[in-house]
């Protein structure tokens, strides 16, 4: 030590550095744990930062409570009528497509909600081809997304204005679907997720409601109308079992209200009558709760996934094939060569 030389410890071992012995009573280390499950937390954090988007279209003739139902679904004034002054509201001579967006936040989760309204639908004496402006609007959103997608310098996150879901309001006649209802759903079910609802269901008795729902399901099957959730897109047996229960309830018989009442010491949304209060979220009174769960709590992501992977993908393939055909004709490539290439 005096010469500055330290003795060599020949019996020194590194084993205690490589495998430390945990102190008595300390945590036991699981050496088989890799940490793959941490990806879920990473995805959650990323999703929370980015937020979510949901675009809902409401279609139905005037007076069926479309705006009220949207306000009830999101428990805030999200409908177009809630923003537009009542004095300005009048039935348009032709179908107009109007959308309004809101940023909603709940428990730290942010969502950009866009509600697309179709004033004028079904309100004219002649409603022939009244579905065409709505079909055009839906396809225009697909086209806008496609053009952003095929850009050379495309955005890191493409704004999504595609219609994820169309809530179709059926008048509570208690008899059967009108030709307008059948034609609209038959054509639009091929390009968007349609969820049919019986509007203002409190005008029907329970027996009338059940008969009407059964009749509508029969007519949908007879006309080959596949509403959401579509049977062909069930991913597994568990999905099929859950979705079968939903398909048995379609169309949902709903009542909307943004008015709060005190009932037995509880504050709830409802419609007050001489005979009592119709509770919007009480499944014994109406099926609003089932509709809300489908659209928001259980199937929201699936609705968006089907829009992206099925409806938009079909539009994208068709458009790109059209472009290939145009380019081929311009370059003088024969039709049969082009068909062989596509196959």
């Amino acid at each position: 030590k005096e010469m500055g030389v330290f003795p060599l410890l020949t019996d020194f071992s590194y084993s205690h550095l490589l495998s430390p012995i945990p102190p008595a009573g300390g945590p036991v280390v699981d050496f088989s744990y890799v940490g793959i499950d941490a990806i879920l937390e990473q995805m959650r954090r990323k999703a929370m930062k980015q937020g979510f988007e949901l675009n809902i279209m409401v279609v139905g003739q005037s007076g069926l409570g479309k705006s009220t139902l949207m306000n009830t679904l999101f428990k805030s004034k999200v409908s177009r009528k809630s923003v537009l002054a009542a004095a300005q509201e009048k039935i348009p001579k032709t179908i107009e497509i109007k959308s309004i967006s809101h940023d909603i936040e709940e428990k730290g989760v942010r969502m950009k909600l866009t509600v697309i309204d179709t004033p004028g639908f079904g309100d004219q004496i002649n409603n022939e081809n009244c579905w065409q402006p709505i079909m055009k609007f839906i396809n225009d959103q697909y086209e806008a997304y496609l053009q952003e997608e095929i850009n050379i310098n495309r955005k890191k996150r493409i704004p999504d204005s595609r219609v994820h879901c169309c809530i179709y309001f059926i008048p509570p006649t208690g008899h059967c679907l009108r030709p307008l209802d059948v034609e609209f759903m038959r054509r639009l079910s091929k390009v968007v997720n349609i969820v049919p609802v019986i509007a203002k269901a409190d005008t029907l008795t329970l027996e009338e409601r059940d008969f009407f729902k059964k009749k509508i399901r029969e007519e949908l099957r007879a006309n080959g109308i596949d509403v959401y959730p579509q049977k062909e897109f069930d991913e597994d047996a568990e999905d099929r079992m859950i979705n079968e229960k939903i398909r048995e309830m379609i169309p949902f018989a709903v009542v909307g209200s943004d008015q709060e009442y005190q009932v037995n010491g509880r504050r709830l949304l409802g419609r007050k009558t001489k005979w009592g209060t119709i509770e919007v979220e009480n499944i014994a009174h109406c099926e609003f709760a089932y509709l809300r769960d489908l659209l928001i709590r259980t199937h929201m992501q699936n609705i968006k996934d089907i829009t992206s992977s099925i409806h938009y993908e079909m539009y994208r393939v068709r458009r790109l094939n059209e472009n290939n055909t145009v380019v081929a004709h311009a370059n003088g490539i024969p039709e049969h060569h082009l068909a062989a290439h596509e196959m």
Side-chain angles (χ1 to χ4, degrees), residues 194-245:
I194 290 184
V195 177
V197 299
I198 299 171
K200 298 192 171 181
D202 53 327
T203 60
L204 301 170
T205 66
L206 293 179
E207 292 77 14
E208 288 170 341
R209 191 179 82 178
D210 291 342
F211 172 80
F212 194 31
K213 281 162 64 75
K214 185 181 176 184
K215 184 73 175 171
I216 289 171
R217 284 195 295 270
E218 288 171 358
E219 290 192 68
L220 291 176
R221 279 194 295 270
N223 289 281
I225 299 168
D226 209 4
V227 298
Y228 184 85
Q230 300 91 333
K231 191 176 287 189
E232 60 184 300
F233 304 143
D234 292 343
E235 292 182 3
D236 50 38
E238 185 186 358
D239 261 10
R240 196 173 302 113
M241 187 175 68
I242 293 169
N243 290 342
E244 272 302 329
K245 290 179 181 176

Side-chain angles (χ1 to χ4, degrees), residues 90-128:
K90 58 182 182 180
I91 296 174
K93 292 182 180 178
T94 57
I95 296 173
E96 300 174 2
I97 312 288
K98 295 185 177 181
S99 61
I100 186 162
S101 296
H102 302 270
D103 290 317
I104 300 175
E105 186 168 341
E106 183 180 54
K107 295 184 180 179
V109 179
R110 290 179 296 108
M111 185 173 76
K112 182 185 177 186
L113 171 70
T114 302
V115 179
I116 304 135
D117 199 358
T118 54
F121 176 85
D123 292 330
Q124 314 305 321
I125 295 172
N126 181 7
N127 290 303
E128 189 179 1

Side-chain angles (χ1 to χ4, degrees), residues 59-60 121 130-132 134-135 138 166-171 176-198 212-213 215-221 223-228 230 250-252 311:
V59 179
F121 176 85
C130 64
W131 48 268
Q132 286 180 345
I134 298 170
M135 173 83 87
I138 292 170
C166 171
I167 304 176
Y168 186 73
F169 288 70
I170 300 167
C176 59
L177 292 174
R178 302 168 301 168
L180 172 63
D181 303 325
V182 173
E183 188 68 11
F184 177 88
M185 287 191 279
R186 188 175 66 80
R187 291 180 181 271
L188 271 291
S189 61
K190 294 178 175 66
V191 297
V192 70
N193 298 312
I194 290 184
V195 177
V197 299
I198 299 171
F212 194 31
K213 281 162 64 75
K215 184 73 175 171
I216 289 171
R217 284 195 295 270
E218 288 171 358
E219 290 192 68
L220 291 176
R221 279 194 295 270
N223 289 281
I225 299 168
D226 209 4
V227 298
Y228 184 85
Q230 300 91 333
I250 280 178
F252 298 105
H311 296 305

Side-chain angles (χ1 to χ4, degrees), residues 120-339:
F121 176 85
D123 292 330
Q124 314 305 321
I125 295 172
N126 181 7
N127 290 303
E128 189 179 1
N129 297 333
C130 64
W131 48 268
Q132 286 180 345
I134 298 170
M135 173 83 87
K136 182 180 183 302
F137 177 86
I138 292 170
N139 284 332
D140 285 349
Q141 307 319 303
Y142 289 152
E143 182 66 25
Y145 194 91
L146 176 63
Q147 292 306 317
E148 287 285 352
E149 201 175 49
I150 63 178
N151 275 343
I152 296 172
N153 299 315
R154 62 181 179 183
K155 297 171 183 173
K156 187 177 178 182
R157 192 177 182 204
I158 299 173
D160 190 2
S161 63
R162 297 171 296 183
V163 179
H164 299 128
C165 177
C166 171
I167 304 176
Y168 186 73
F169 288 70
I170 300 167
T173 61
H175 301 298
C176 59
L177 292 174
R178 302 168 301 168
L180 172 63
D181 303 325
V182 173
E183 188 68 11
F184 177 88
M185 287 191 279
R186 188 175 66 80
R187 291 180 181 271
L188 271 291
S189 61
K190 294 178 175 66
V191 297
V192 70
N193 298 312
I194 290 184
V195 177
V197 299
I198 299 171
K200 298 192 171 181
D202 53 327
T203 60
L204 301 170
T205 66
L206 293 179
E207 292 77 14
E208 288 170 341
R209 191 179 82 178
D210 291 342
F211 172 80
F212 194 31
K213 281 162 64 75
K214 185 181 176 184
K215 184 73 175 171
I216 289 171
R217 284 195 295 270
E218 288 171 358
E219 290 192 68
L220 291 176
R221 279 194 295 270
N223 289 281
I225 299 168
D226 209 4
V227 298
Y228 184 85
Q230 300 91 333
K231 191 176 287 189
E232 60 184 300
F233 304 143
D234 292 343
E235 292 182 3
D236 50 38
E238 185 186 358
D239 261 10
R240 196 173 302 113
M241 187 175 68
I242 293 169
N243 290 342
E244 272 302 329
K245 290 179 181 176
I246 296 169
R247 284 190 278 265
E248 287 168 9
M249 284 191 286
I250 280 178
F252 298 105
V254 298
V255 177
S257 174
D258 45 17
Q259 297 293 316
E260 283 192 359
Y261 295 98
Q262 193 93 12
V263 178
N264 299 328
R266 295 179 299 123
R267 291 197 68 77
L268 47 82
L269 292 171
R271 286 169 58 83
K272 198 160 190 174
T273 69
K274 283 182 180 180
W275 306 275
T277 304
I278 299 159
E279 300 174 25
V280 166
E281 299 190 38
N282 186 337
I283 57 173
H285 292 190
C286 77
E287 295 171 339
F288 168 82
Y290 294 129
L291 174 67
R292 179 202 56 207
D293 289 354
L294 176 75
L295 294 178
I296 302 170
R297 300 185 181 181
T298 61
H299 283 65
M300 182 194 288
Q301 189 57 49
N302 183 253
I303 286 170
K304 294 177 67 175
D305 289 344
I306 287 179
T307 299
S308 180
S309 60
I310 306 295
H311 296 305
Y312 169 67
E313 196 62 25
M314 286 174 64
Y315 178 85
R316 177 181 161 278
V317 169
R318 179 166 57 81
R319 285 287 288 113
L320 294 180
N321 279 339
E322 285 173 5
N323 289 347
N324 288 343
T325 305
V326 171
V327 171
H329 288 165
N331 293 333
I333 299 174
E335 283 280 352
H336 64 277
H337 285 184
L338 183 65

Side-chain angles (χ1 to χ4, degrees), residues 59-71:
V59 179
Q61 67 187 58
S62 301
L64 290 180
K66 301 187 295 294
S67 299
T68 304
L69 186 72
M70 294 310 297
N71 293 344

